[in-house]
Amino acid sequence: MTALIQTIDTADGPFTMLVDEEQRVLASGWTAVHDDIIHRLAVKYRPAEMREGETDAASAVRAYYAGDVAAIGTVAVRQHGTDMQRTGWDALRRIAPGEPLTYAEFATALGSPSAVRAAASICARNAPALFVPCHRVLRSDGSLGGFAWGLDVKESLLAHERAPR
C-alpha cells in the first residue's frame, strides 16, 4: 500500500495526516514529524510506501479550524483493533462538539459502566486524532486527563468547539 502524508498549519501548530489509497485517515496529529504519525500504527498496519501529497482530509481540517467543527465527522478513517476498540472509536465520533463526556460517561455509552480504564485505553490507542475526537473525553472531575498531542492542544480544541458559531 502506498499512503499519502500531508502536513498543514493550524492554530494549534502543524497537523499531519496519513491516508490510504481510498483517502481514509490512518493516523494524524499535531506534529510535522512523520515518524510520530507512523508510529501511532502497529508495525503490521504501517504502509509499505509513503509519499507526500494533498489529502482530502486537509480540507476538513481547514474547515474545522475556520469554524465548521462538524467537518471532521465527514472524513473516513480506518483503524485496526479489537471489537471493543472499534465500537469505542465509532462512539467517539458520535460525541457532539462542545458536549464532552467523562471517561465514566463514555464507558456507560459503550454499555460497560465499570470499564472506565478500558474507555481511557480506547482513547489512548486512537490513531486518527481529531477525526476520531478522543479529545472530547474528560476525567470525571472535569479536568482534561491525558492527550497524546499535549493538554494545551486538547484545551484549545475544546474551547474552539465551545465557541459560539
Side-chain angles (χ1 to χ4, degrees):
M1 162 180 79
T2 300
L4 285 178
I5 195 161
Q6 179 182 13
T7 301
I8 63 172
D9 290 326
T10 73
D12 294 312
F15 184 79
T16 300
M17 299 148 283
L18 178 67
V19 304
D20 66 12
E21 296 99 340
E22 296 175 39
Q23 292 287 325
R24 296 175 296 189
V25 178
L26 304 172
S28 54
W30 288 266
T31 180
V33 180
H34 292 178
D35 281 349
D36 290 348
I37 299 302
I38 294 162
H39 289 120
R40 298 290 296 166
L41 301 173
V43 172
K44 65 183 174 182
Y45 298 119
R46 292 180 187 163
E49 295 181 37
M50 189 176 58
R51 65 179 175 81
E52 290 193 32
E54 185 72 24
T55 65
D56 293 348
S59 62
V61 175
R62 290 182 184 108
Y64 173 88
Y65 275 98
D68 180 3
V69 295
I72 58 172
T74 66
V75 176
V77 299
R78 182 164 189 217
Q79 294 201 79
H80 299 279
T82 66
D83 288 343
M84 183 166 181
Q85 286 171 325
R86 286 192 307 274
T87 297
W89 294 325
D90 289 343
L92 285 169
R93 295 195 89 183
R94 291 190 298 273
I95 301 173
E99 299 178 22
L101 299 178
T102 66
Y103 289 107
E105 291 168 332
F106 181 51
T108 299
L110 296 176
S112 301
S114 63
V116 176
R117 284 184 186 251
S121 176
I122 287 167
C123 292
R125 293 188 187 338
N126 177 44
L130 188 62
F131 305 102
V132 177
C134 57
H135 64 274
R136 294 181 186 155
V137 183
L138 307 171
R139 287 186 174 156
S140 294
D141 65 2
S143 64
L144 295 178
F147 189 59
W149 305 106
L151 294 183
D152 55 334
V153 173
K154 184 172 184 172
E155 187 171 39
S156 174
L157 295 172
L158 292 169
H160 179 66
E161 293 177 357
R162 279 192 309 268
R165 302 283 158 226

